[in-house]
Amino acid sequence: MTIAIGSDHAGVSLKQEITAYLKERGLDFTDMGPFGPESVDYPDYGERVAGLVAGGKAEKGILICGTGIGMSIVANKFAGIRAALCSEPLSARLSRQHNDANILVLGGRMIGPVMAREIVEIWLETPFEGGRHKLRLDKIFNIEGKKSKDAHQQA
Ligand code: RB5
């Protein structure tokens, strides 16, 4: 599995923690930055990671900003992206089982490193349940289809 990971300055130290964990686990990942504490804009990094996942270049993504809210907003603009902001393991598990979330979003100023590791571990290991949940995802695909059709008609 290839994982794309990115953050802004408010998430960079938690990103370091998570990349260390991914290395320990021997998981394949691409760190899309940033690599220092300088202030950056979360949409730039959210776009890089969500673009890789939406384009099929990465199977899953992990995004971190201060609250996780900005990164969630950015990632969910991309067709095919189901980004889930999780601050505890149960939401992480359910976001995979029910929503087939393909991007995990964390708040670097909201949770500590031990909680974050636990969330990431559960999120990466939990499969999608399919069944009735698949029908609901199909409805989301339809909404996305309508949205792009509307935008096209307005242009
Ligand atoms: C940066 O100060 C902060 O606004 C950002 O990390 C994030 O929390 C936005 O949603």
Side-chain angles (χ1 to χ4, degrees):
M1 180 201 306
T2 311
I3 301 160
I5 184 166
S7 73
D8 70 357
H9 55 285
V12 77
S13 82
L14 191 59
K15 177 163 69 64
Q16 251 177 347
E17 191 73 38
I18 301 302
T19 55
Y21 168 79
L22 297 174
K23 260 186 219 156
E24 278 166 32
R25 294 277 314 272
L27 294 168
D28 182 25
F29 70 90
T30 310
D31 189 343
M32 302 303 291
F35 300 99
E38 298 77 26
S39 182
V40 295
D41 299 327
Y42 62 83
D44 297 335
Y45 293 87
E47 184 179 12
R48 288 179 197 176
V49 168
L52 287 177
V53 178
K57 299 254 160 57
E59 197 182 317
K60 288 197 169 117
I62 300 176
L63 283 169
I64 311 163
C65 63
T67 58
I69 295 171
M71 285 298 199
S72 302
I73 293 170
V74 172
N76 282 313
K77 297 285 179 206
F78 285 73
I81 293 299
R82 294 172 302 281
L85 172 56
C86 300
S87 50
E88 33 66 40
L90 179 59
S91 301
R93 179 148 53 80
L94 290 169
S95 79
R96 291 287 313 129
Q97 289 177 331
H98 290 195
N99 313 112
D100 197 19
N102 49 12
I103 294 190
L104 171 67
V105 188
L106 301 169
R109 291 175 176 160
M110 313 306 281
I111 58 168
V114 176
M115 178 63 85
R117 276 177 173 245
E118 178 107 11
I119 290 170
V120 170
E121 180 175 357
I122 286 172
W123 191 77
L124 290 174
E125 283 176 359
T126 305
F128 177 48
E129 274 179 4
R132 68 186 191 281
H133 303 298
K134 168 76 172 71
L135 297 176
R136 292 163 186 163
L137 294 193
D138 289 345
K139 292 195 173 191
I140 298 175
F141 290 135
N142 289 340
I143 292 168
E144 284 174 344
K146 274 188 215 152
K147 248 185 13 197
S148 53
K149 203 172 141 221
D150 290 351
H152 180 68
Q153 279 167 352
Q154 275 162 18

